[in-house]
Amino acid sequence: MPDSTIYSHSNDGVIYKNHFMVGGARLSSTGTVESGDNTNRVGIDRVPAGRGATYTYYRAFYFFDLGSESGTVDSADLKVYQAGNATVKFRAVEWGSSSSSLATGDFDSVFTSGSGASAVMTAYSAEVLSSGSAGYDTYTINSDGISAIQSAVGSGLFRVAIVSEEDYDGNLGISQDYFETMTFSNSAINKPTLEITYESGVTYNAPFLGTNF
């Protein structure tokens, strides 16, 4: 059982970009913000158009307020509810922002090094195969993510994004859809959660909504 369960803040949401070329969508510096959602698509939507197609990349962004937390983080799980029935691979990645709300320029803040076609993301989890039916998918946070969580404990926000594995890998040969419908904090139920386990000696903190910025 985790020591603390924190719900994502209501400023969470998606940023998406549509383009007739895969690279034009994936590598755009800006996108369209949709925050305060109940549910939304996450991943890549390919729509045939004439002899080609258009591509829309949807990236999910989450805030977790850890200002009231304390202790040394031992492990953490990000749990996001899959509201559809697709079987798609996703990954939690670093979101390099210092803001407390989504902005159009956050679309490419998932890239932590390189530029253009060489831009790469920093993984906060291994790839997760969505369950194929409604339910929570669990992203076990790795050491890079744990360090980011620890930095936010007692002082501020942990920020994390979820992208499709094809987006993370930089796959430009997109010939089908790779998206799933996920639930966000504005939903009355099945909110995204961050479950933290601390090293021994930490008192359990009840779940709470992070609303203080």
Side-chain angles (χ1 to χ4, degrees):
M1 182 176 181
D3 294 308
S4 191
T5 299
I6 301 96
Y7 294 112
S8 178
H9 188 271
S10 58
N11 284 351
D12 67 5
V14 302
I15 306 176
Y16 67 89
K17 179 65 177 182
N18 176 274
H19 200 274
F20 67 92
M21 295 180 63
V22 171
R26 180 176 185 267
L27 299 173
S28 175
S29 60
T30 61
T32 300
V33 174
E34 290 188 354
S35 60
D37 294 317
N38 293 322
T39 62
N40 209 328
R41 290 180 174 182
V42 181
I44 305 170
D45 186 11
R46 180 185 185 275
V47 178
R51 295 182 180 180
T54 60
Y55 305 88
T56 305
Y57 277 61
Y58 296 86
R59 294 169 180 161
F61 297 85
Y62 301 96
F63 303 87
F64 295 92
D65 187 352
L66 307 185
S68 299
E69 295 291 299
S70 63
T72 301
V73 179
D74 181 64
S75 63
D77 288 328
L78 171 65
K79 294 189 174 182
V80 179
Y81 193 86
Q82 173 179 303
N85 58 7
T87 302
V88 183
K89 294 178 181 178
F90 292 97
R91 190 180 291 257
V93 300
E94 180 179 344
W95 167 21
S97 172
S98 59
S99 67
S100 57
S101 61
L102 294 182
T104 59
D106 285 326
F107 183 74
D108 72 345
S109 62
V110 295
F111 296 113
T112 52
S113 65
S115 61
S118 299
V120 297
M121 305 179 191
T122 296
Y124 274 179
S125 76
E127 67 178 38
V128 172
L129 180 64
S130 61
S131 60
S133 59
Y136 276 99
D137 292 324
T138 299
Y139 300 79
T140 300
I141 303 301
N142 63 20
S143 59
D144 286 331
I146 294 296
S147 294
I149 292 172
Q150 188 66 66
S151 295
V153 166
S155 62
L157 300 175
F158 170 60
R159 300 171 181 84
V160 60
I162 288 181
V163 300
S164 75
E165 186 67 9
E166 288 70 26
D167 190 358
Y168 172 79
D169 287 339
N171 181 1
L172 300 183
I174 303 300
S175 58
Q176 64 183 74
D177 294 334
Y178 296 98
F179 70 82
E180 177 55 277
T181 300
M182 296 183 184
T183 300
F184 291 81
S185 66
N186 201 47
S187 176
I189 58 174
N190 303 325
K191 298 176 184 291
T193 63
L194 181 67
E195 296 183 349
I196 301 175
T197 299
Y198 293 98
E199 293 183 0
S200 59
V202 176
T203 302
Y204 172 78
N205 294 314
F208 68 95
L209 287 171
T211 56
N212 297 316
F213 288 134

